[in-house]
């Protein structure tokens, strides 16, 4: 369990460094939804860390910290998923409001043609 936790931890750190290096490009391209999905993936990689620390040290005090740490990371993953969905919903509403073609651009153009 310890080896897999270390591997997942390093993958999470790699994802974090990738976010740091591509943050400005993601913001320029308005990819906040993708950023939240990637951050959720990063936190999911760190989920086994609190329990791995507890099993390695086997101290009763760490059990409480492990439970709270796991719940905290789980809440972060769930929150990142909700935020990504909310951001995607807002972007779709803006596209419909301003008539910009995006994922549903063909449907918007079809509706405009049908009204003419």
């Amino acid at each position: 369990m310890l080896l897999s936790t270390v591997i997942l931890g390093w993958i999470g750190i790699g994802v974090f460094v990738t976010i740091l290096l591509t943050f400005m490009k993601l913001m320029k391209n308005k990819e906040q939804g993708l950023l939240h999905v990637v951050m959720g993936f990063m936190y999911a990689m760190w989920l086994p860390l609190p329990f791995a620390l507890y099993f390695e040290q086997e101290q009763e005090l760490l059990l409480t910290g492990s439970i709270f740490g796991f719940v905290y990371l789980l809440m972060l993953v769930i929150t990142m998923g909700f935020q990504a969905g909310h951001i995607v919903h807002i972007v779709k509403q803006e596209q419909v409001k301003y008539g910009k073609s995006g994922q549903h651009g063909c449907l918007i153009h079809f509706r405009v043609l049908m009204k003419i």
Side-chain angles (χ1 to χ4, degrees):
M1 179 173 166
L2 187 61
L3 180 63
S4 61
T5 304
V6 169
I7 291 170
L8 288 175
W10 279 106
I11 290 172
I13 291 171
V15 170
F16 179 73
V17 170
T18 304
I19 290 172
L20 285 178
L21 296 176
T22 60
F23 180 76
M24 291 308 294
K25 188 168 186 167
L26 288 171
M27 290 297 111
K28 187 189 300 184
N29 294 333
K30 298 181 181 178
E31 293 288 345
Q32 290 91 357
L34 176 64
L35 179 65
H36 281 82
V37 169
V38 172
M39 287 173 65
F41 177 72
M42 174 186 71
Y43 291 130
M45 293 293 106
W46 292 339
L47 276 173
L49 282 174
F51 286 114
L53 179 64
Y54 167 70
F55 289 133
E56 185 68 25
Q57 298 294 322
E58 294 183 10
Q59 295 178 1
E60 289 300 318
L61 186 61
L62 286 178
L63 179 61
T64 306
S66 297
I67 292 171
F68 282 114
F70 179 78
V71 170
Y72 174 72
L73 285 170
L74 188 63
M75 288 181 352
L76 281 174
V77 170
I78 292 170
T79 303
M80 289 297 139
F82 283 149
Q83 288 177 351
H86 180 70
I87 290 169
V88 169
H89 175 72
I90 290 172
V91 168
K92 285 183 182 179
Q93 293 299 319
E94 286 179 359
Q95 288 176 351
V96 169
K97 181 178 179 181
Y98 297 115
K100 293 181 180 177
S101 62
Q103 184 179 5
H104 301 289
C106 297
L107 182 60
I108 292 171
H109 294 301
F110 180 74
R111 287 179 183 167
V112 170
L113 288 175
M114 293 304 291
K115 289 183 181 179
I116 295 179

